[in-house]
Amino acid sequence: MSKTIRFNAFEMNCVGHQSPGLWTHPRDRSWQYKDLEYWTDLAKILERGFFDAVFIADVVGYYDVYKGDNYHALHQGVQIPVSDPLQLAAPIAMVTEHLGIGITASTSFEHPYTFARRLATADHHTKGRVGWNIVTSYLESGARNVGEGGLRRHDNRYEVAAEYVEVLYKLLEGSWEDGAVLRDKASRVFIDPDKVHEIGHKGRYFDVPGYHLCEPSPQRTPVLFQAGASGAGKAFAASHAECVFVSTPARSTLQQYVADIRQQAAAAGRDPSKVLVYALVTVIVDETDEKAWAKFEEYKQHVSYDGALVLLSGWSGIDFGKYAPQDPVRAVETNAIVSVVEHLAKGDKEWTIDELARWAGIGGLGPVFVGSPATVADTLQQWVEETDVDGFNLAYALSHETFEDVVEYLVPELQRRGVYPTAYKPGTLREKLFGEGPRLPDSHPAARYRDIEAVKREKGASREVA
């Protein structure tokens, strides 16, 4: 196999993340999520295992679709309480040298002007190791609590996201020219004002006339992550994302998804090999198959059945509490994560509600690979060969035990086979991932905003013609 396998750690600033109920296990640490030591310990484990990044998910809102309220979410601690992810970038960077830090932030709940400053600040503090996971959000509770009354329709959220990232590109790529910051003590000039520009953005959803507040960070625009798997989500990812995450239990669905993303990226004028696709997987590994399966059975005793359905109902927008356990999962039009319903209803297997809850109880909607290092390595290589996926977004069953086991048992086996990194590349996160420069390539749509004055002249000319 010629392709190198990549790992990210899939985390969230909450209890249990994708494995509701596992916080009750005596060895689990996820209840310590609010302590910096939890995150710095994790970061050091992941860097020792040459992970590309810790990818920190987020939601704004709470899961109140299941049985029509948020009782079970609160009772079981299902992604609530949940703390801000961006504040974790600095402490993680302080105890590591190479590990990337992917931060989830929604285009639905924060204005792009203030977010651009927060994102650039994090990229400065980490010396260019930050990525932004672009999400449009799917919880009605979040929209209600920021005064929007409710979520926009699914595809309309991507229309907003397209303009949102345009504003970010203008601020991060074009507002400050290279060489604008002089820091010339002799002449007492810190900034050349002629090299700092108002972006003059006036669009359908955002009006941002002025200057970006931060000087350019090491990457200018941090590495762009995206996890949309619907039609609108894939089109957005093919245009903008450098790293794409997908969660599906079936190899056939994953293979189709990867091929579609690469085809759409090529059609958008981008190099499809420079779009890295990571699939959600949970790995339970130990010295032998028998020990790994015993561990998995032990973990399953702590799964929260209601907690799993809380997540599934929130992700899909379908109240699974209305159905009997043996009812089949059917495709229903919703305004949440459309791809969740599509993948489950149209995949290789017909799911009942009970089967789905037990499946998702450990690791969410991705598959669980159980076995010895050799067994799991064989499975990962088979998935890469058959689907063309670039790597895996590893969820945990127990924190930090799952990641410690991967680093202790699985990583050495993959390295022995020559399919896993043995060292980090130098530079920013973008340089480590792609082996090129720290900034987005010229083929990326952000590049057209680097000369912001030319963009404004072009817009002015088009208005005159109209």
Side-chain angles (χ1 to χ4, degrees):
M1 188 179 76
S2 60
K3 185 176 285 189
T4 298
I5 293 175
R6 300 172 170 276
F7 286 158
N8 288 318
F10 195 29
E11 258 282 10
M12 190 169 177
N13 202 352
C14 68
V15 176
H17 190 202
Q18 300 271 301
S19 299
L22 271 292
W23 62 269
T24 62
H25 193 287
R27 295 195 302 275
D28 184 74
R29 290 187 59 186
S30 67
W31 61 274
Q32 298 174 316
Y33 73 96
K34 62 192 182 304
D35 301 326
L36 284 182
E37 293 80 8
Y38 173 91
W39 296 98
T40 54
D41 288 351
L42 173 62
K44 287 183 278 191
I45 293 167
L46 300 178
E47 184 153 281
R48 192 168 72 246
F50 301 104
F51 278 55
D52 284 344
V54 53
F55 169 68
I56 306 174
D58 190 38
V59 291
V60 174
Y62 38 81
Y63 289 80
D64 58 358
V65 176
Y66 182 59
K67 298 188 176 179
D69 58 42
N70 67 341
Y71 175 86
H72 289 283
L74 289 167
H75 189 262
Q76 297 296 313
V78 182
Q79 296 189 9
I80 187 170
V82 56
S83 299
D84 180 45
L86 193 55
Q87 295 185 48
L88 298 174
I92 289 173
M94 290 179 71
V95 297
T96 57
E97 184 181 355
H98 300 284
L99 184 69
I101 306 148
I103 302 296
T104 299
S106 176
T107 58
S108 296
F109 299 139
E110 183 172 1
H111 196 280
Y113 187 67
T114 53
F115 179 64
R117 180 174 70 162
R118 295 207 303 134
L119 195 59
T121 301
D123 202 47
H124 278 300
H125 286 172
T126 62
K127 292 183 170 58
R129 285 194 277 143
V130 164
W132 171 31
N133 177 41
I134 309 167
V135 298
T136 62
S137 294
Y138 53 88
L139 293 179
E140 291 283 351
S141 61
R144 291 195 304 269
N145 281 292
V146 297
E148 294 185 1
L151 280 177
R152 297 177 184 270
R153 295 301 302 166
H154 178 273
D155 287 4
N156 180 239
R157 298 201 296 272
Y158 277 104
E159 293 173 7
V160 175
E163 186 177 336
Y164 195 106
V165 296
E166 179 184 335
V167 174
L168 265 290
Y169 297 155
K170 289 176 178 178
L171 292 168
L172 298 172
E173 297 286 336
S175 185
W176 293 60
E177 294 182 29
D178 291 337
V181 180
L182 302 176
R183 300 186 188 89
D184 188 338
K185 292 185 178 183
S187 64
R188 302 180 63 83
V189 176
F190 195 85
I191 299 164
D192 180 350
D194 292 333
K195 293 186 176 182
V196 183
H197 308 280
E198 294 181 319
I199 67 169
H201 180 88
K202 191 170 184 65
R204 181 178 178 184
Y205 302 106
F206 302 106
D207 186 355
V208 185
Y211 308 97
H212 181 37
L213 293 170
C214 297
E215 64 179 275
S217 68
Q219 299 181 112
R220 282 195 177 252
T221 299
V223 172
L224 298 172
F225 296 75
Q226 213 268 334
S230 65
K234 285 188 286 188
F236 185 90
S239 295
H240 299 280
E242 298 171 272
C243 301
V244 181
F245 298 135
V246 60
S247 55
T248 175
R251 262 181 298 184
S252 59
T253 309
L254 178 61
Q255 190 276 332
Q256 294 166 12
Y257 177 89
V258 175
D260 193 11
I261 283 288
R262 299 211 194 283
Q263 182 179 13
Q264 291 194 46
R270 303 178 62 203
D271 182 348
S273 69
K274 297 298 174 65
V275 179
L276 301 179
V277 183
Y278 297 80
L280 176 64
V281 164
T282 303
V283 167
I284 311 297
V285 64
D286 210 313
E287 292 175 317
T288 64
D289 289 339
E290 293 74 19
K291 286 184 177 181
W293 279 103
K295 188 181 290 182
F296 184 41
E297 292 301 319
E298 175 192 353
Y299 292 165
K300 287 197 292 187
Q301 303 309 309
H302 293 267
V303 168
S304 168
Y305 183 89
D306 282 321
L309 290 180
V310 165
L311 286 177
L312 289 163
S313 297
W315 292 335
S316 66
I318 301 169
D319 180 2
F320 288 114
K322 292 181 178 180
Y323 302 95
Q326 298 309 313
D327 284 345
V329 175
R330 302 293 189 194
V332 177
E333 183 176 349
T334 77
N335 196 29
I337 307 178
V338 172
S339 60
V340 168
V341 184
E342 292 176 346
H343 286 177
L344 292 173
K346 300 176 184 178
D348 299 334
K349 172 181 170 56
E350 183 175 278
W351 297 84
T352 66
I353 305 300
D354 180 77
E355 289 173 330
L356 187 59
R358 299 189 187 285
W359 170 276
I362 293 180
L365 291 174
V368 180
F369 298 154
V370 183
S372 67
T375 297
V376 175
D378 286 345
T379 303
L380 292 177
Q381 288 188 262
Q382 184 179 20
W383 274 61
V384 170
E385 290 168 3
E386 292 186 11
T387 69
D388 192 34
V389 75
D390 296 285
F392 298 93
N393 213 27
L394 300 184
Y396 66 82
L398 288 196
S399 184
H400 300 320
E401 182 170 290
T402 298
F403 296 124
E404 289 175 326
D405 288 344
V406 167
V407 172
E408 180 180 354
Y409 298 117
L410 181 57
V411 166
E413 175 66 18
L414 293 171
Q415 289 173 328
R416 185 185 65 78
R417 298 179 182 206
V419 296
Y420 191 83
T422 57
Y424 283 105
K425 295 177 182 177
T428 64
L429 177 57
R430 183 169 285 117
E431 289 169 290
K432 293 178 194 302
L433 292 176
F434 301 105
E436 297 175 356
R439 297 177 60 179
L440 284 163
D442 292 341
S443 59
H444 193 277
R448 72 177 296 263
Y449 301 107
R450 286 174 180 155
D451 186 345
I452 199 68
E453 295 303 323
V455 172
K456 288 192 285 187
R457 288 194 298 272
E458 179 185 321
K459 277 208 163 181
S462 65
R463 280 196 297 267
E464 287 177 14
V465 171

